[in-house]
Amino acid sequence: MPSLTRAEATARRALITVGSYEVDLDLTGGGDHFRSTATIRFRATPGAATFVEVKPAALRGVRLNDRDLDPGALAENRLPLTGLAAENTLTVSAEMAYSNTGEGMHRFVDPADGGTYLYAMSFLDDVQRIFAAFDQPDLKAPVTLSVTAPPQWTVAANGQLAANPWPGRWEFAPTPPLATYLVSLIAGPWHVRRDAHDGIPLAVYCRRSLATHLDADLDEVLTVTKQCLDRFHQLFAERYPFAKYDQAFVPEFNAGAMENPGLVTLRDDYIFRSAVTDTQRELRATTIAHEMAHMWFGDLVTMRWWDDLWLNESFAEYLGTRVTAEATRFHRAWTTFAIRRKAWGYTADQRPSTHPVAPQQVADAAEGLLNFDGISYAKGASVLRQLVAGLGDEAFLAGLNAHFAAHLFGNATLADLLAALGAASGRDLSGWAERWLRRAQVNTLRMEAAVDADGRWSSVAVTQTAPASHPVLRPHHIGVGWYAADGAVSRVELDLDPDTDRGRTEVSALIGQPATGLLLPNDGDLTFAKIRLDPASADAVPIMLPGLADPLARALLWGEALDAARDGERPVPALVSLIVAALPAETEVIIAEEVLGLSRGLIDRYLDPLARDAALLRVAGACAGLLARAPAGGSTQLAAARGLIAATTDTGLLTGWLAGAGVPEGLAVDAELRWALLLRLVVLGGAGEAEIAAEAAADRSAVGAEWAARCRAALPDADAKRVAWGIITRATELSNRLVEATAEGFWQPEQAELTAGYVERYFADMPATARLRTPWVADRITTLAFPRYAVAQSTRELAGALLARDDLTPGLRRWVTDLDDDLRRALVARTAVAAVSA
């Protein structure tokens, strides 16, 4: 189906103004379809022609003003409208299809109890799978929704419930003007808990089978929600702008959450059924804060088109992290941001598909979907944090409040926001925006230091470089930390101005000081830039890192080591040696988890099989050391146990823990940990289909079904791989989550010989697979099913041949290009390791 272009959206906006939507849905029919009737009132240039979007299973009737239109005129998802009057009423009745992809009206049958649950996901342009609409973000209008559902169900929507005239009939009050991608509802036998705070009604929903788990965590969910509301009300002059604040934890969700005003939907993985680390609880808190930030950035004031996506996501990412750190118990959220979210941003910004935070133009909605990445989120948030450091918080917030007041319930652009911030700060931000928002790629800040005969620094400088493909230097406000050998810590703050220092800034305050310990550029993590230590500091890291008290400094040093290994500047075995030296002493669980997760990807791809096995043995030993030191029953113990399970080849240990033997005191071998143990055993050939079936029978949950699919795809068996590949490439009857779980389990480094024949099949089969699936699901499958462990020039040649075709979907082309670049890096790193070994 054609994707709406920017030019088409601009032309339509010039022709029409939408006054209101009245939507009536009938969910009682059973089967695969539901009934939808939408009445749209809109103004238009008299005599003009345009189109409305709808993706029906069957179009039943169309009436424009006083005439019936031919439903057969529908071309793919576009219904032409001609001869428009100044005031128009359009009614479109259709039969719509439920989905199993997390888009449109998703239907889920809970394997735990057979309950049927529906939720609407209208993003990015999928409201047309639910009702007919002018589906673009700058044609906002109030929505009045009515729903007929089975009488035992509960229904909730963006607006407040206005009437429940008979069992099964739900009529909702009109909303304020909404962008079409924000319309949502839930329907089914939902478990609900209600509360209120500061005059705002609150509700939390989940499936019945998760009720006990939600109730166990309800206090934390509501406490975080209330703390965030209070903090946003302190920051913004405009109070929360909608009638209620519902949060629904929904099954098989594609994203982390969606900021539907009045009814935020979140993936129900955030309802924890097993032990979790504090990192996972913090992630839930930052997600709640992130979606709440969208109530202002995205919902109250909406971007005009998808090229200003950063006005939504960068601000929500920045404010979500900031408010979590300032208002909740998760006061180290910026440490998590530094080692997890920024690593995502740095990776995205160095790939062939890199793009500016605020591109000049996004051609169509499909291209907009591809920009929901680490650049629009993490880099954009980092840029905003840098801006706040330069403007000051008072001017920044004054500008935001002026922006809200000027565009209340309307749309805005980058130029609108820059004008508000410039007026509040008295500064012209056009030059800043050109370098930070309009230009792609990332700078590297490198420490340079020289020592005199007395062992004191004779010169210290920060140099800034840019890749040749994107030769732009940027202004940075940074700290340079001096972590002395005796434990003393000091920081020098300075501004890097490429217009005056030409990429080299002297740190004069350190000249003459004893050259001991290490120097850390970007200490405090105020800017978005890769960092590199001077050689003496790099040599000091294994000795000093375990004893550094500041977790943010440790996160930055770990990030530097991981990034240097990813770039091939330092060999992966050196990173493994640092893990052995420093990980067992780590006390911040997020750091331990991210170091283990990010390093594992490098070990699996950057080392040949023999070196990989040796590295994993050392990592498993480091995890065992961390496990031995960790307090019983705590987050660090759980993180260490997960790391050990993933790295070990000791099937006796895994089998023992699964049977309850030899388990460390305080470690709960619950459902999630059992599945992790079983998956590793399956990969190693220590368990098979019988064990998977038994575990699935004991865990008849949706998560259990996903784990079982992952395990079956990971079986070291030719038949199992054949079945799994069929699911990945052809199955449309399974939900998005089950197909993704199968793709996650398919490729295993230990099974390279078994899966060798599927390397070529990936490049042969994926074009048809991508066209078979919706763009969101296709992008996930393209990435997860890529033969990432087939690190060979022949794999790159296959990728090159695929990319030479002219019939690829935009998503397939983008992701294969990026994943091929990952292979290029891995090959470079393997060459570097071989050279060091030689």
Side-chain angles (χ1 to χ4, degrees):
M1 293 186 180
S3 179
L4 185 70
T5 68
R6 189 180 195 272
E8 289 171 330
T10 301
R12 185 162 62 178
R13 184 177 70 246
L15 289 177
I16 71 170
T17 302
V18 183
S20 67
Y21 287 92
E22 293 179 11
V23 180
D24 197 305
L25 303 178
D26 186 342
L27 309 177
T28 61
D32 296 329
H33 299 148
F34 62 97
R35 288 293 184 101
S36 166
T37 301
T39 299
I40 312 171
R41 292 178 172 82
F42 63 101
R43 297 185 295 280
T45 302
T50 188
F51 59 90
V52 68
E53 289 100 331
V54 62
K55 297 179 181 178
L59 194 57
R60 297 301 185 189
V62 184
R63 188 170 182 82
L64 176 61
N65 299 328
D66 57 353
R67 55 194 169 99
D68 292 324
L69 304 186
D70 178 13
L74 180 67
E76 297 189 276
N77 65 325
R78 297 182 175 190
L79 182 68
L81 305 175
T82 59
L84 296 175
E87 300 285 340
N88 301 274
T89 300
L90 174 69
T91 300
V92 180
S93 299
E95 215 169 87
M96 312 296 277
Y98 292 114
S99 87
N100 62 357
T101 64
E103 299 149 300
M105 187 73 80
H106 184 91
R107 182 175 63 178
F108 170 82
V109 178
D110 194 338
D113 60 12
T116 298
Y117 295 86
L118 310 178
Y119 64 87
M121 178 62 160
S122 299
F123 176 86
L124 171 141
D125 56 358
D126 276 326
V127 74
Q128 54 199 273
R129 295 179 183 273
I130 305 167
F131 60 88
F134 297 109
D135 203 359
Q136 64 188 70
D138 60 348
L139 290 178
K140 299 173 72 171
V143 178
T144 304
L145 177 68
S146 299
V147 178
T148 303
Q152 69 274 20
W153 282 13
T154 295
V155 180
N158 301 95
Q160 283 186 309
L161 183 64
N164 203 175
W166 65 82
R169 181 66 176 176
W170 303 74
E171 298 174 354
F172 296 92
T175 69
L178 299 183
T180 49
Y181 75 88
L182 295 170
V183 178
S184 190
L185 70 127
I186 61 171
W190 296 93
H191 172 73
V192 59
R193 289 287 183 252
R194 301 187 186 279
D195 202 345
H197 181 68
D198 194 16
I200 302 168
L202 307 177
V204 184
Y205 296 85
C206 75
R207 291 180 280 135
R208 291 179 305 189
S209 62
L210 294 175
T212 58
H213 304 299
L214 172 62
D215 290 350
D217 266 4
L218 183 64
D219 182 64
E220 180 170 288
V221 170
L222 288 175
T223 296
V224 167
T225 301
K226 295 172 184 178
Q227 289 170 331
C228 291
L229 278 169
D230 289 344
R231 184 60 181 142
F232 280 115
H233 285 160
Q234 292 166 356
L235 295 173
F236 299 151
E238 181 70 28
R239 279 177 55 84
Y240 173 69
F242 301 98
K244 61 186 178 69
Y245 199 86
D246 294 354
Q247 296 173 97
F249 293 89
V250 301
E252 298 183 330
F253 206 55
N254 274 325
M258 183 62 203
E259 64 269 20
N260 315 300
L263 179 64
V264 174
T265 44
L266 307 95
R267 61 191 305 137
D268 64 11
D269 307 68
Y270 287 131
I271 302 298
F272 305 129
R273 64 186 197 130
S274 296
V276 294
T277 64
D278 268 356
T279 301
Q280 291 168 276
R281 294 187 177 279
E282 182 191 282
L283 176 59
R284 181 172 65 189
T286 54
T287 301
I288 290 172
H290 177 112
E291 302 311 318
M292 194 178 291
H294 274 307
M295 299 300 133
W296 288 265
F297 281 99
D299 297 2
L300 176 66
V301 180
T302 307
M303 62 195 169
R304 188 171 291 282
W305 181 247
W306 300 108
D307 44 17
D308 276 323
L309 167 67
W310 83 287
L311 291 175
N312 285 16
E313 298 305 343
S314 298
F315 276 89
E317 183 85 356
Y318 166 72
L319 288 162
T321 305
R322 171 178 171 166
V323 167
T324 300
E326 292 175 350
T328 76
R329 72 179 180 91
F330 303 104
H331 56 276
R332 288 181 175 167
W334 284 118
T335 299
T336 303
F337 182 81
I339 196 167
R340 172 178 283 174
R341 302 297 281 182
K342 288 184 82 170
W344 178 37
Y346 291 141
T347 298
D349 209 19
Q350 295 174 85
R351 282 178 155 165
S353 64
T354 185
H355 58 84
V357 173
Q360 289 282 359
Q361 182 167 315
V362 171
D364 57 24
E367 184 181 339
L369 179 62
L370 295 178
N371 287 348
F372 281 79
D373 58 15
I375 296 170
S376 297
Y377 285 74
K379 181 181 180 180
S382 303
V383 168
L384 289 174
R385 196 175 187 209
Q386 175 77 178
L387 179 63
V388 175
L391 294 184
D393 210 42
E394 184 176 349
F396 178 71
L397 292 173
L400 297 190
N401 282 312
H403 180 69
F404 296 146
H407 303 284
L408 209 64
F409 292 111
N411 297 86
T413 65
L414 167 63
D416 295 325
L417 180 66
L418 291 181
L421 291 172
S425 64
R427 290 176 53 179
D428 179 1
L429 296 178
S430 58
W432 170 86
E434 177 61 28
R435 283 174 163 157
W436 275 110
L437 301 179
R438 295 299 197 193
R439 303 287 187 91
Q441 258 283 358
V442 59
N443 299 122
T444 299
L445 306 181
R446 192 179 302 268
M447 292 302 307
E448 292 184 355
V451 181
D452 63 21
D454 297 324
R456 296 178 181 274
W457 282 306
S458 58
S459 72
V460 179
V462 179
T463 63
Q464 178 183 180
T465 58
S469 59
H470 296 80
V472 58
L473 301 182
R474 297 176 175 87
H476 299 266
H477 180 80
I478 68 166
V480 174
W482 175 22
Y483 293 82
D486 63 2
V489 179
S490 61
R491 181 194 292 177
V492 177
E493 294 205 1
L494 64 155
D495 291 298
L496 313 185
D497 184 352
D499 293 330
T500 58
D501 61 30
R502 300 193 178 188
R504 181 182 172 86
T505 305
E506 298 289 338
V507 190
S508 56
L510 293 177
I511 295 175
Q513 296 293 330
T516 64
L518 63 83
L519 297 174
L520 177 59
N522 197 28
D523 193 29
D525 198 34
L526 292 179
T527 197
F528 185 82
K530 290 153 61 78
I531 60 172
R532 290 294 183 269
L533 306 181
D534 62 280
S537 294
D539 290 343
V541 168
I543 300 168
M544 296 194 62
L545 180 57
L548 291 184
D550 182 3
L552 181 55
R554 298 199 305 274
L556 291 170
L557 288 169
W558 277 114
E560 192 268 357
L562 288 157
D563 189 65
R566 182 176 181 273
D567 283 354
E569 292 185 22
R570 294 187 208 133
V572 171
L575 173 63
V576 173
S577 294
L578 182 60
I579 291 172
V580 171
L583 187 74
E586 185 53 61
T587 57
E588 199 73 15
V589 65
I590 177 60
I591 295 177
E593 289 176 309
E594 288 304 296
V595 167
L596 289 171
L598 294 172
S599 64
R600 180 58 186 273
L602 297 175
I603 290 167
D604 285 342
R605 290 183 290 113
Y606 282 33
L607 298 179
D608 64 37
L610 189 61
R612 174 187 175 274
D613 292 346
L616 284 185
L617 184 64
R618 300 186 73 199
V619 170
C623 291
L626 181 63
L627 183 62
R629 295 188 186 190
S635 288
T636 303
Q637 183 190 50
L638 180 55
R642 289 171 175 170
L644 178 57
I645 290 167
T648 189
T649 57
D650 185 347
T651 57
L653 180 145
L654 299 169
T655 303
W657 281 16
L658 201 54
V663 179
E665 181 183 354
L667 182 67
V669 184
D670 50 27
E672 292 296 303
L673 207 61
R674 289 187 62 84
W675 278 115
L677 287 162
L678 183 57
L679 176 62
R680 188 61 180 155
L681 277 168
V682 165
V683 170
L684 297 173
E689 173 56 37
E691 289 83 0
I692 297 170
E695 199 66 34
D699 181 10
R700 295 188 178 277
S701 67
V703 175
E706 291 169 27
W707 270 111
R710 195 175 293 115
C711 287
R712 288 188 170 107
L715 283 165
D717 175 81
D719 286 340
K721 295 299 183 186
R722 177 182 51 77
V723 171
W725 194 252
I727 291 171
I728 293 166
T729 57
R730 296 188 300 276
T732 57
E733 72 280 3
L734 297 179
S735 74
N736 55 326
R737 286 291 190 88
L738 291 175
V739 177
E740 289 170 13
T742 302
E744 286 172 341
F746 187 87
W747 299 102
Q748 300 293 334
E750 295 86 350
Q751 299 169 1
E753 185 175 345
L754 175 63
T755 55
Y758 289 92
V759 175
E760 187 169 354
R761 288 188 63 177
Y762 173 89
F763 297 102
D765 293 350
M766 209 45 58
T769 296
R771 288 190 294 271
L772 182 67
R773 303 191 184 281
T774 60
W776 199 322
V777 177
D779 288 351
R780 289 285 293 158
I781 299 306
T782 296
T783 304
L784 292 171
F786 188 83
R788 53 194 177 276
Y789 304 125
V791 180
Q793 185 59 34
S794 59
T795 311
R796 294 206 64 208
E797 290 168 0
L798 289 167
L802 176 66
L803 294 171
R805 294 172 53 166
D806 59 6
D807 61 342
L808 305 186
T809 64
L812 180 59
R813 183 173 300 281
R814 186 248 176 94
W815 293 115
V816 170
T817 299
D818 285 350
L819 293 163
D820 171 63
D821 189 61
D822 289 347
L823 287 180
R824 177 192 63 79
R825 285 176 173 270
L827 283 169
V828 169
R830 286 195 179 190
T831 302
V833 170
V836 170
S837 300

